[in-house]
Amino acid sequence: MLELRDITAGYDRREPVVRGASLTVAPGEAVGLLGPSGCGKSTLAKVAALLHRPAAGQVVIDGEPVNGWRHAAPRTLRTAVGVVFQQPRLSADPRLRLRELIAEPLRAVGRSRAEAAARALETAEAVGLTGELLGRRPHEVSDGQLQRACLARALVLRPSWLVCDEMTAMLDASTTAALVNVVEDYRREHRAGLLAVGHDRVLLDRWCDRTVEWSRIAQA
Amino acid sequence: MTAPSTDPSPAVGTETPAASSASSASFVALRVLAVRGLSVRFTMRDGRHVAAVDDVTFDLAAGECLALVGESGCGKSVLASALLGLLPANARTAGSAVVDGVELLGAGERTLARTVRGRRIGLVPQSPAAHLTPVRTVGAQLAETVRALTGLRGTDARDAALTAAARAAFPAGHLDRYPHELSGGLAQRAATAIALVGDAPLLLADEPTTGLDRELVDHTADELRRHADEGHAILLITHDLAAAARTADRVAVMYAGRIVEIASAEAFFGSLGPRHPYARGLLNALPEREFAPIPGLPPELGDLPAGCAFAPRCPRADDACTVLPRLAGGVACHHPEDRHA
Ligand code: SF4
């Protein structure tokens, strides 16, 4: 289980943007979280991805509360959750070639260069990226191609959980369907859980096992 | 590439808005934008050429909204930049694009600044919050645009600013606010008000709904529709098919720099559906339809296959498709879906 228990979160000393939010994703389950822009759902997504320390409340993974937060949770815990954001250009290091971008999480956890390269190639292929494209840098590819690379990067450590925050909001219909298919293939194979955060009800209803409204899981 | 001769007949496809909207009937014959054989080629650092826009031809009439749809990198934003004269220095254009009597291609920066941007083409930008200056109030930015475009001063300028705000449905009571104090919807209206100041006959909306909530998408789409009904010609550039369906009279689909289909929105989104295999695939990918992606990736513009660029992904491809299909009867395909089957 990936459990968010009574999470309050915000930035600096300002008013919290998330108050008392609770949500559970079971292994292999796909949960859609629907909310208007600015409601705080992206902040909650960062908490679920173990990238943003909650001011109060707990993240619990398979019964173990996540401890040792600095700004983010310890890296060893973070490898359990992969995350993809809305804007690949803000999250992807512009200096890295796509193949390095995808392999980097493996290098960061100490895998050998050869193993990282091989695994990155395999994952890249699963998201539809091959050949010469992998030698390019972010500014040399389209938004859709870069988002494919970001998804590969999120999957390369084979996480048990995936958080997708408006992953397809900037993408055309075909690329959206393609990326959702990649996520679903991965989840089937690894029995991974998904938290898909977004504002598009039609998309989340079609994609997820269940969809919850922001207003039902968090305090106003 | 030579531009085909410009025919003097009324704009192609104007029957649709005329039939569907009595209020736009008086604008019908007024062609605002005529694009003929427009091509944009970039010269890359290694000397290669990339054709980002290739031989694009269409018309746009007053009172009409044309949605230009396609995936990122298909050339639709390059086309928008070409119309606004905002292409980078390594770009070469061919063909012709005339807006309200002014040739845009090859026009100098002075002409573009003095007679085109804001005056003949109003830009409704993507992410309006980023387009507005954060440190000045909406009213101040609007007034400055009025002074720059109309030369009006004092109370006249103020009146013109208020009129533009009213036409964009931006509340006068919010003019003293800063962009960050506005909701997404109001920021979009503020940017639209600025686009309306110069009374440009053509509004170019570049991905105006990206990242907006569905409710705000619908709202933005409806506002654009209203501006069309009031007589503007609207070129809506978008990857959002739902926004296009809600706003447009006609749809043009771009793939690998070329228009592969141009059809009335009614036929395109209705039971007939598109005729080009790519356009059909794009619609079928919607979560409310089959949610099935088109296999493969769009081709590299610098490395297009000979013949139809969609062939490697197309279920109908055969030997005939090694010859480039021309746009004929609204579709560029050797084996289009037959409407009369
Ligand atoms: S021309 Fe051939 S390959 Fe191209 S879209 Fe038509 S059928 Fe498919």
Side-chain angles (χ1 to χ4, degrees), chain A residues 1-5 23-31 48 50 58-66 80-81 160-162 191-195 210:
Chain A
M1 292 285 217
L2 173 64
E3 294 173 75
L4 302 170
R5 291 189 188 158
L23 182 67
T24 301
V25 185
E29 185 187 30
V31 177
L50 308 181
Q58 255 185 346
V59 183
V60 180
I61 296 182
D62 294 333
E64 295 285 327
V66 172
V81 190
S160 307
W161 313 94
L162 196 62
R191 200 160 170 266
L194 167 74
L195 176 61
R210 65 188 173 96

Side-chain angles (χ1 to χ4, degrees), chain B:
Chain B
M1 219 156 307
T2 49
S5 62
T6 312
D7 68 286
S9 58
V12 182
T14 43
E15 311 80 47
T16 313
S20 63
S21 167
S23 68
S24 61
S26 54
F27 305 112
V28 155
L30 261 179
R31 178 158 62 200
V32 172
L33 174 66
V35 176
R36 293 288 175 274
L38 171 60
S39 299
V40 181
R41 283 213 309 179
F42 294 103
T43 306
M44 310 311 276
R45 235 177 292 162
D46 56 9
R48 277 183 314 134
H49 294 289
V50 171
V53 175
D54 193 12
D55 199 16
V56 163
T57 293
F58 65 87
D59 280 313
L60 188 52
E64 183 190 27
C65 174
L66 174 69
L68 195 57
V69 305
E71 47 210 310
S72 70
C74 73
K76 58 193 195 304
S77 6
V78 174
L79 188 127
S81 302
L83 297 182
L84 291 165
L86 297 174
L87 290 170
N90 65 336
R92 286 270 170 287
T93 57
S96 152
V98 176
V99 65
D100 194 24
V102 174
E103 172 64 57
L104 301 173
L105 301 188
E109 180 56 30
R110 266 171 77 100
T111 310
L112 290 168
R114 291 192 175 181
T115 69
V116 175
R117 286 183 218 125
R119 291 191 164 87
R120 283 187 167 77
I121 307 180
L123 176 67
V124 179
Q126 181 174 1
S127 63
H131 198 77
L132 299 164
T133 312
V135 294
R136 307 186 50 215
T137 65
V138 171
Q141 294 182 55
L142 205 45
E144 181 187 277
T145 309
V146 167
R147 282 194 296 273
L149 289 180
T150 65
L152 293 172
R153 294 282 182 274
T155 44
D156 289 345
R158 217 189 123 62
D159 288 349
L162 282 172
T163 307
R167 279 167 54 207
F170 186 90
H174 286 48
L175 283 170
D176 58 354
R177 300 219 175 161
Y178 291 90
H180 72 266
E181 296 176 315
L182 302 174
S183 67
L186 282 187
Q188 181 64 259
R189 288 191 212 174
T192 306
I194 289 173
L196 291 173
V197 164
D199 218 5
L202 173 63
L203 291 182
L204 197 163
D206 184 12
E207 298 281 5
T209 61
T210 296
L212 299 184
D213 296 342
R214 180 52 52 195
E215 210 173 291
L216 219 52
V217 169
D218 290 350
H219 178 83
T220 303
D222 292 348
E223 297 273 300
L224 286 174
R225 184 64 246 170
R226 186 168 61 80
H227 295 307
D229 290 339
E230 285 170 4
H232 284 99
I234 298 193
L235 183 58
L236 169 63
I237 292 178
T238 187
H239 70 264
D240 183 341
L241 294 169
R246 201 173 170 103
T247 318
D249 301 296
R250 284 188 302 150
V251 185
V253 182
M254 265 185 105
Y255 188 76
R258 301 177 69 91
I259 289 184
V260 296
E261 179 160 5
I262 187 159
S264 81
E266 204 182 328
F268 192 88
F269 293 110
S271 55
L272 287 173
R275 299 186 60 204
H276 193 280
Y278 171 68
R280 294 186 78 81
L282 206 54
L283 268 193
N284 263 335
L286 285 171
E288 54 268 52
R289 302 201 184 198
E290 317 237 310
F291 205 30
I294 301 166
L297 293 182
E300 294 296 321
L301 291 175
D303 186 23
L304 292 180
C308 177
F310 188 58
R313 307 172 75 184
C314 181
R316 297 185 168 206
D318 65 13
D319 289 348
C321 307
T322 53
V323 175
L324 185 68
R326 298 277 155 196
L327 192 65
V331 61
C333 173
H334 295 300
H335 310 294
E337 187 75 18
D338 188 355
R339 286 258 165 82
H340 311 288

